[in-house]
Amino acid sequence: GDVRKEVDVLCRQSELYTRLRKHDQAIRALHLAQASLEEIGDHQMQARIAGRVAAIHAKLKEHVYAQWAAEEQREHFEAAGEKRSEAQAMLKVATCMAWREEFSSAIILAEKACEILAAGADLEAGAAALAAVAELRVRAAESGGRE
């Protein structure tokens, strides 16, 4: 219970820092929370925190860091056996790749997410993933296919 309380406090601190636009401190608090969660191996909670880290980096247009955090989130969802969430994290990673104009890698990853969602018969999420793939293809074409 102690670890969870500590993590809860750190997450609240991070929200406060984010509101104060002290993004470095917000991220540091989340990293401390993740380190504490390593001890108890709570992959769902670690995935949620990695998602928050990714969101802060994305807001700051730090797409490389956002991509790393989204990839970390995907790994934790995979470890937790949460297929739908894993696929949605893959789409986040693909979005970060597209921001960096790595379209072919982004499309491959987004298609893999579609396959996972189709296998789980998750029609709503599957449709959203297919739309994401289509959008990535359009953006790749507009950029003249440069990588």
Side-chain angles (χ1 to χ4, degrees), residues 32-51:
L32 287 170
Q34 278 177 315
S36 299
L37 286 167
E38 285 290 330
E39 294 171 31
I40 57 171
D42 183 337
H43 288 291
Q44 278 165 319
M45 202 51 199
Q46 282 175 291
R48 286 220 299 277
I49 290 172

Side-chain angles (χ1 to χ4, degrees), residues 65-101:
Y65 294 126
Q67 185 178 326
W68 289 345
E71 181 58 41
E72 190 181 339
Q73 183 181 43
R74 186 204 64 73
E75 287 167 11
H76 286 302
F77 279 134
E78 183 182 27
E82 292 191 30
K83 283 289 178 198
R84 176 183 181 156
S85 298
E86 181 191 349
Q88 288 173 328
M90 287 165 95
L91 291 172
K92 272 192 211 169
V93 175
T95 303
C96 294
M97 289 173 166
W99 280 327
R100 294 166 54 215
E101 303 207 342

Side-chain angles (χ1 to χ4, degrees), residues 2-136:
D2 279 351
V3 170
R4 290 188 198 291
K5 266 187 221 138
E6 184 188 335
V7 166
D8 203 45
V9 168
L10 286 164
C11 287
R12 279 206 297 270
Q13 275 181 356
S14 128
E15 281 167 27
L16 185 64
Y17 283 134
T18 302
R19 279 203 292 274
L20 296 171
R21 306 208 184 296
K22 296 188 174 185
H23 298 293
D24 288 349
Q25 280 110 312
I27 289 166
R28 201 170 303 127
L30 291 171
H31 284 316
L32 287 170
Q34 278 177 315
S36 299
L37 286 167
E38 285 290 330
E39 294 171 31
I40 57 171
D42 183 337
H43 288 291
Q44 278 165 319
M45 202 51 199
Q46 282 175 291
R48 286 220 299 277
I49 290 172
R52 285 185 186 176
V53 173
I56 293 170
H57 284 306
K59 203 161 78 178
L60 298 174
K61 307 258 185 283
E62 296 171 349
H63 300 309
V64 178
Y65 294 126
Q67 185 178 326
W68 289 345
E71 181 58 41
E72 190 181 339
Q73 183 181 43
R74 186 204 64 73
E75 287 167 11
H76 286 302
F77 279 134
E78 183 182 27
E82 292 191 30
K83 283 289 178 198
R84 176 183 181 156
S85 298
E86 181 191 349
Q88 288 173 328
M90 287 165 95
L91 291 172
K92 272 192 211 169
V93 175
T95 303
C96 294
M97 289 173 166
W99 280 327
R100 294 166 54 215
E101 303 207 342
E102 294 175 2
F103 291 112
S104 51
S105 305
I107 289 166
I108 290 165
L109 194 62
E111 284 174 341
K112 209 163 125 192
C114 287
E115 284 166 29
I116 289 173
L117 293 166
D122 193 331
L123 297 180
E124 192 184 339
L130 285 170
V133 171
E135 190 189 328
L136 287 169

